Amino acid sequence: GAAIYNFERQPVPVHAGDLMLHPPHQHWHHRKMFGSFDVQSLRRGYLVYKNVCKACHSMNDLAFREMVDIFMTEEEAKAEAAEVMIMDGPDETGEMFERAGKLSDKLPNPYRNEEEAKFANNGALPPDLSQIVYARE
């Protein structure tokens, strides 16, 4: 490894990790037993996802009901769900049909399948943003 000489001409070992700027430790309130999320930040984040990220990225593991009492009221979440059309079925005739979303529905994907997503993004599959937090840990 590298060494730096001090005034007494003795080598002092220097490790690469010592020269890096490390982020300060953050005390997140939502990680505590009685903590809570920053509601306004979550609301803004969802609006960014809805208006920008949703065009390419999915959120396969997030249902509309999971937003209730976190950053939306039940009525707001029901209204968000009702804005999307969900493919459901089959009905009594065996046909698939579309219906307005419900709280129990997951957020819809922007693409019908992975191949369509890859084709629209030059061969790369956009990551599912409901899983991105696990990739950062």
Side-chain angles (χ1 to χ4, degrees):
I4 297 176
Y5 286 92
N6 59 11
F7 292 112
E8 298 173 3
R9 299 282 186 203
Q10 295 176 357
V12 178
V14 176
H15 302 286
D18 296 338
L19 301 176
M20 293 174 44
L21 181 61
H22 296 284
H25 179 71
Q26 301 290 324
H27 300 283
W28 300 107
H29 298 291
H30 64 273
R31 299 242 180 201
K32 297 179 183 173
M33 181 182 273
F34 298 109
S36 64
F37 293 103
D38 179 1
V39 175
Q40 294 303 319
S41 179
L42 289 173
R43 190 178 281 274
R44 284 190 306 271
Y46 176 71
L47 287 175
V48 169
Y49 169 76
K50 180 180 169 184
N51 295 322
V52 180
C53 308
K54 186 171 98 172
C56 298
H57 296 275
S58 61
M59 293 257 275
N60 292 330
D61 293 336
L62 182 66
F64 289 102
R65 69 173 173 254
E66 295 172 37
M67 301 176 191
V68 175
D69 295 334
I70 302 294
F71 64 94
M72 286 186 181
T73 64
E74 186 172 348
E75 292 77 27
E76 289 173 327
K78 282 181 180 178
E80 282 291 319
E83 287 181 9
V84 298
M85 296 305 289
I86 304 293
M87 184 62 70
D88 202 356
D91 60 9
E92 56 277 349
T93 63
E95 296 295 321
M96 300 298 282
F97 61 94
E98 284 190 337
R99 62 166 174 78
K102 301 183 292 190
L103 283 179
S104 59
D105 293 322
K106 304 264 185 194
L107 273 70
N109 286 328
Y111 303 105
R112 290 179 293 222
N113 53 48
E114 286 187 11
E115 288 72 29
E116 183 183 35
K118 288 178 184 178
F119 180 77
N121 293 284
N122 294 325
L125 181 64
D128 178 18
L129 295 183
S130 62
Q131 298 292 319
I132 202 76
V133 71
Y134 301 117
R136 292 181 177 171
E137 289 182 351

PDB file of all heavy atoms in Angstrom, residues 6-22:
ATOM      1  N   ASN A   6       5.741  11.114   7.959  1.00  0.00           N
ATOM      2  CA  ASN A   6       5.502  12.234   8.849  1.00  0.00           C
ATOM      3  C   ASN A   6       6.834  12.958   9.101  1.00  0.00           C
ATOM      4  O   ASN A   6       7.856  12.623   8.510  1.00  0.00           O
ATOM      5  CB  ASN A   6       4.828  11.766  10.139  1.00  0.00           C
ATOM      6  CG  ASN A   6       5.640  10.748  10.909  1.00  0.00           C
ATOM      7  OD1 ASN A   6       6.810  10.517  10.605  1.00  0.00           O
ATOM      8  ND2 ASN A   6       5.033  10.135  11.904  1.00  0.00           N
ATOM      9  N   PHE A   7       6.851  13.892   9.989  1.00  0.00           N
ATOM     10  CA  PHE A   7       8.054  14.683  10.226  1.00  0.00           C
ATOM     11  C   PHE A   7       9.209  13.862  10.781  1.00  0.00           C
ATOM     12  O   PHE A   7      10.355  14.252  10.673  1.00  0.00           O
ATOM     13  CB  PHE A   7       7.743  15.854  11.163  1.00  0.00           C
ATOM     14  CG  PHE A   7       6.854  16.872  10.533  1.00  0.00           C
ATOM     15  CD1 PHE A   7       5.567  17.054  10.989  1.00  0.00           C
ATOM     16  CD2 PHE A   7       7.305  17.634   9.468  1.00  0.00           C
ATOM     17  CE1 PHE A   7       4.742  17.992  10.405  1.00  0.00           C
ATOM     18  CE2 PHE A   7       6.488  18.573   8.864  1.00  0.00           C
ATOM     19  CZ  PHE A   7       5.196  18.748   9.334  1.00  0.00           C
ATOM     20  N   GLU A   8       8.972  12.736  11.390  1.00  0.00           N
ATOM     21  CA  GLU A   8      10.036  11.910  11.946  1.00  0.00           C
ATOM     22  C   GLU A   8      10.535  10.894  10.927  1.00  0.00           C
ATOM     23  O   GLU A   8      11.299  10.012  11.252  1.00  0.00           O
ATOM     24  CB  GLU A   8       9.527  11.207  13.207  1.00  0.00           C
ATOM     25  CG  GLU A   8       9.121  12.178  14.295  1.00  0.00           C
ATOM     26  CD  GLU A   8       8.473  11.474  15.466  1.00  0.00           C
ATOM     27  OE1 GLU A   8       8.393  10.225  15.471  1.00  0.00           O
ATOM     28  OE2 GLU A   8       8.036  12.178  16.380  1.00  0.00           O
ATOM     29  N   ARG A   9      10.113  11.012   9.691  1.00  0.00           N
ATOM     30  CA  ARG A   9      10.532  10.143   8.581  1.00  0.00           C
ATOM     31  C   ARG A   9      10.165   8.677   8.807  1.00  0.00           C
ATOM     32  O   ARG A   9      10.878   7.785   8.418  1.00  0.00           O
ATOM     33  CB  ARG A   9      12.035  10.254   8.317  1.00  0.00           C
ATOM     34  CG  ARG A   9      12.496  11.593   7.930  1.00  0.00           C
ATOM     35  CD  ARG A   9      12.145  11.808   6.501  1.00  0.00           C
ATOM     36  NE  ARG A   9      12.715  13.073   6.034  1.00  0.00           N
ATOM     37  CZ  ARG A   9      12.234  13.719   5.030  1.00  0.00           C
ATOM     38  NH1 ARG A   9      11.231  13.234   4.363  1.00  0.00           N
ATOM     39  NH2 ARG A   9      12.767  14.842   4.645  1.00  0.00           N
ATOM     40  N   GLN A  10       9.044   8.446   9.446  1.00  0.00           N
ATOM     41  CA  GLN A  10       8.565   7.084   9.628  1.00  0.00           C
ATOM     42  C   GLN A  10       7.327   6.906   8.748  1.00  0.00           C
ATOM     43  O   GLN A  10       6.470   7.784   8.708  1.00  0.00           O
ATOM     44  CB  GLN A  10       8.204   6.833  11.088  1.00  0.00           C
ATOM     45  CG  GLN A  10       9.393   6.908  12.005  1.00  0.00           C
ATOM     46  CD  GLN A  10       8.978   6.754  13.458  1.00  0.00           C
ATOM     47  OE1 GLN A  10       7.802   6.651  13.752  1.00  0.00           O
ATOM     48  NE2 GLN A  10       9.955   6.741  14.343  1.00  0.00           N
ATOM     49  N   PRO A  11       7.266   5.786   8.030  1.00  0.00           N
ATOM     50  CA  PRO A  11       6.099   5.584   7.148  1.00  0.00           C
ATOM     51  C   PRO A  11       4.821   5.402   7.959  1.00  0.00           C
ATOM     52  O   PRO A  11       4.803   4.758   8.992  1.00  0.00           O
ATOM     53  CB  PRO A  11       6.445   4.324   6.371  1.00  0.00           C
ATOM     54  CG  PRO A  11       7.482   3.630   7.173  1.00  0.00           C
ATOM     55  CD  PRO A  11       8.204   4.669   7.982  1.00  0.00           C
ATOM     56  N   VAL A  12       3.792   6.040   7.462  1.00  0.00           N
ATOM     57  CA  VAL A  12       2.458   5.908   8.048  1.00  0.00           C
ATOM     58  C   VAL A  12       1.573   5.272   6.975  1.00  0.00           C
ATOM     59  O   VAL A  12       1.446   5.834   5.890  1.00  0.00           O
ATOM     60  CB  VAL A  12       1.895   7.294   8.462  1.00  0.00           C
ATOM     61  CG1 VAL A  12       0.492   7.143   9.013  1.00  0.00           C
ATOM     62  CG2 VAL A  12       2.829   7.967   9.447  1.00  0.00           C
ATOM     63  N   PRO A  13       1.002   4.084   7.229  1.00  0.00           N
ATOM     64  CA  PRO A  13       0.188   3.435   6.189  1.00  0.00           C
ATOM     65  C   PRO A  13      -1.076   4.247   5.889  1.00  0.00           C
ATOM     66  O   PRO A  13      -1.688   4.825   6.773  1.00  0.00           O
ATOM     67  CB  PRO A  13      -0.160   2.080   6.792  1.00  0.00           C
ATOM     68  CG  PRO A  13       0.007   2.254   8.256  1.00  0.00           C
ATOM     69  CD  PRO A  13       1.044   3.329   8.461  1.00  0.00           C
ATOM     70  N   VAL A  14      -1.403   4.279   4.601  1.00  0.00           N
ATOM     71  CA  VAL A  14      -2.611   4.972   4.157  1.00  0.00           C
ATOM     72  C   VAL A  14      -3.461   3.959   3.400  1.00  0.00           C
ATOM     73  O   VAL A  14      -2.991   3.296   2.496  1.00  0.00           O
ATOM     74  CB  VAL A  14      -2.252   6.165   3.231  1.00  0.00           C
ATOM     75  CG1 VAL A  14      -3.523   6.811   2.714  1.00  0.00           C
ATOM     76  CG2 VAL A  14      -1.379   7.150   3.956  1.00  0.00           C
ATOM     77  N   HIS A  15      -4.713   3.834   3.810  1.00  0.00           N
ATOM     78  CA  HIS A  15      -5.636   2.918   3.158  1.00  0.00           C
ATOM     79  C   HIS A  15      -6.581   3.719   2.267  1.00  0.00           C
ATOM     80  O   HIS A  15      -6.977   4.825   2.615  1.00  0.00           O
ATOM     81  CB  HIS A  15      -6.434   2.136   4.198  1.00  0.00           C
ATOM     82  CG  HIS A  15      -5.551   1.358   5.134  1.00  0.00           C
ATOM     83  ND1 HIS A  15      -4.895   0.218   4.752  1.00  0.00           N
ATOM     84  CD2 HIS A  15      -5.201   1.583   6.426  1.00  0.00           C
ATOM     85  CE1 HIS A  15      -4.191  -0.240   5.759  1.00  0.00           C
ATOM     86  NE2 HIS A  15      -4.354   0.579   6.794  1.00  0.00           N
ATOM     87  N   ALA A  16      -6.941   3.139   1.138  1.00  0.00           N
ATOM     88  CA  ALA A  16      -7.801   3.848   0.190  1.00  0.00           C
ATOM     89  C   ALA A  16      -9.117   4.254   0.830  1.00  0.00           C
ATOM     90  O   ALA A  16      -9.658   5.308   0.545  1.00  0.00           O
ATOM     91  CB  ALA A  16      -8.059   2.979  -1.032  1.00  0.00           C
ATOM     92  N   GLY A  17      -9.655   3.434   1.709  1.00  0.00           N
ATOM     93  CA  GLY A  17     -10.909   3.754   2.371  1.00  0.00           C
ATOM     94  C   GLY A  17     -10.808   4.972   3.273  1.00  0.00           C
ATOM     95  O   GLY A  17     -11.796   5.650   3.540  1.00  0.00           O
ATOM     96  N   ASP A  18      -9.598   5.260   3.752  1.00  0.00           N
ATOM     97  CA  ASP A  18      -9.407   6.428   4.613  1.00  0.00           C
ATOM     98  C   ASP A  18      -9.485   7.730   3.832  1.00  0.00           C
ATOM     99  O   ASP A  18      -9.764   8.780   4.394  1.00  0.00           O
ATOM    100  CB  ASP A  18      -8.052   6.358   5.328  1.00  0.00           C
ATOM    101  CG  ASP A  18      -7.967   5.174   6.284  1.00  0.00           C
ATOM    102  OD1 ASP A  18      -9.042   4.684   6.694  1.00  0.00           O
ATOM    103  OD2 ASP A  18      -6.843   4.759   6.602  1.00  0.00           O
ATOM    104  N   LEU A  19      -9.198   7.680   2.533  1.00  0.00           N
ATOM    105  CA  LEU A  19      -9.171   8.892   1.720  1.00  0.00           C
ATOM    106  C   LEU A  19     -10.525   9.215   1.093  1.00  0.00           C
ATOM    107  O   LEU A  19     -10.670  10.229   0.446  1.00  0.00           O
ATOM    108  CB  LEU A  19      -8.112   8.758   0.626  1.00  0.00           C
ATOM    109  CG  LEU A  19      -6.684   8.531   1.123  1.00  0.00           C
ATOM    110  CD1 LEU A  19      -5.755   8.309  -0.053  1.00  0.00           C
ATOM    111  CD2 LEU A  19      -6.223   9.695   1.975  1.00  0.00           C
ATOM    112  N   MET A  20     -11.480   8.325   1.289  1.00  0.00           N
ATOM    113  CA  MET A  20     -12.802   8.540   0.702  1.00  0.00           C
ATOM    114  C   MET A  20     -13.660   9.373   1.641  1.00  0.00           C
ATOM    115  O   MET A  20     -13.515   9.296   2.860  1.00  0.00           O
ATOM    116  CB  MET A  20     -13.492   7.195   0.447  1.00  0.00           C
ATOM    117  CG  MET A  20     -12.813   6.380  -0.625  1.00  0.00           C
ATOM    118  SD  MET A  20     -13.503   4.717  -0.838  1.00  0.00           S
ATOM    119  CE  MET A  20     -15.226   4.976  -0.798  1.00  0.00           C
ATOM    120  N   LEU A  21     -14.536  10.125   1.062  1.00  0.00           N
ATOM    121  CA  LEU A  21     -15.495  10.896   1.841  1.00  0.00           C
ATOM    122  C   LEU A  21     -16.717  10.018   2.078  1.00  0.00           C
ATOM    123  O   LEU A  21     -17.399   9.611   1.141  1.00  0.00           O
ATOM    124  CB  LEU A  21     -15.904  12.165   1.087  1.00  0.00           C
ATOM    125  CG  LEU A  21     -16.889  13.071   1.797  1.00  0.00           C
ATOM    126  CD1 LEU A  21     -16.298  13.578   3.112  1.00  0.00           C
ATOM    127  CD2 LEU A  21     -17.266  14.239   0.916  1.00  0.00           C
ATOM    128  N   HIS A  22     -16.958   9.674   3.325  1.00  0.00           N
ATOM    129  CA  HIS A  22     -18.081   8.809   3.671  1.00  0.00           C
ATOM    130  C   HIS A  22     -19.277   9.663   4.056  1.00  0.00           C
ATOM    131  O   HIS A  22     -19.124  10.693   4.734  1.00  0.00           O
ATOM    132  CB  HIS A  22     -17.704   7.881   4.827  1.00  0.00           C
ATOM    133  CG  HIS A  22     -16.603   6.936   4.480  1.00  0.00           C
ATOM    134  ND1 HIS A  22     -16.797   5.826   3.695  1.00  0.00           N
ATOM    135  CD2 HIS A  22     -15.283   6.945   4.780  1.00  0.00           C
ATOM    136  CE1 HIS A  22     -15.663   5.184   3.538  1.00  0.00           C
ATOM    137  NE2 HIS A  22     -14.720   5.844   4.189  1.00  0.00           N
TER     138      HIS A  22
END
